[in-house]
Amino acid sequence: MITMMKSEDFTVCRCENVTYSEILAEMDKGVNDSREMKLKTRAGMGFCNGRTCGHMINKITGDTEDESPVFIHLRAQPPIRTVSFEELSGGLLDDEKNIKP
């Protein structure tokens, strides 16, 4: 269940149910970049891997203005699922038929 602290509060990360007030609370505690925010609140770590909320988190933390070479934006990754060798090969092969005398 999502509990919002104020009526003007809203959900920033839908996958992990992180609200704007939670992000502001972490910033008050000293979190000052999007990477650290991701580690503290799990915003950007859900199913979409930050593709939905990553830009907003970068804007809230002010990371979009930082052009220093040590700055790392939130990285979005495509969802990954395992693929068996059978699926990659197109099916099972019958080894008996492929043996040459």
Side-chain angles (χ1 to χ4, degrees):
M1 181 171 169
I2 301 170
T3 307
M4 297 200 186
M5 298 175 102
K6 301 175 184 171
S7 61
E8 63 270 3
D9 200 6
F10 60 93
T11 302
V12 174
C13 178
R14 295 180 303 190
C15 299
E16 294 293 326
N17 295 325
V18 179
T19 62
Y20 182 65
S21 61
E22 290 176 74
I23 290 176
L24 292 179
E26 288 299 323
M27 289 179 76
D28 287 340
K29 293 178 186 175
V31 174
N32 58 5
D33 63 16
S34 55
R35 182 180 180 281
E36 194 174 354
M37 185 65 67
K38 183 177 182 179
L39 295 172
K40 296 285 185 175
T41 64
R42 294 194 48 84
M45 295 180 79
F47 183 72
C48 78
N49 287 306
R51 286 188 303 274
T52 305
C53 63
H55 181 68
M56 187 180 300
I57 294 168
N58 286 334
K59 289 290 261 186
I60 292 170
T61 58
D63 284 344
T64 55
E65 291 90 34
D66 192 358
E67 297 298 326
S68 65
V70 295
F71 172 71
I72 301 170
H73 284 285
L74 285 181
R75 201 178 83 182
Q77 297 176 355
I80 297 173
R81 70 175 185 91
T82 57
V83 178
S84 69
F85 285 114
E86 179 182 351
E87 289 176 314
L88 287 174
S89 67
L92 293 174
L93 294 176
D94 187 5
D95 289 339
E96 298 285 328
K97 295 177 184 176
N98 292 331
I99 299 175
K100 295 181 180 180

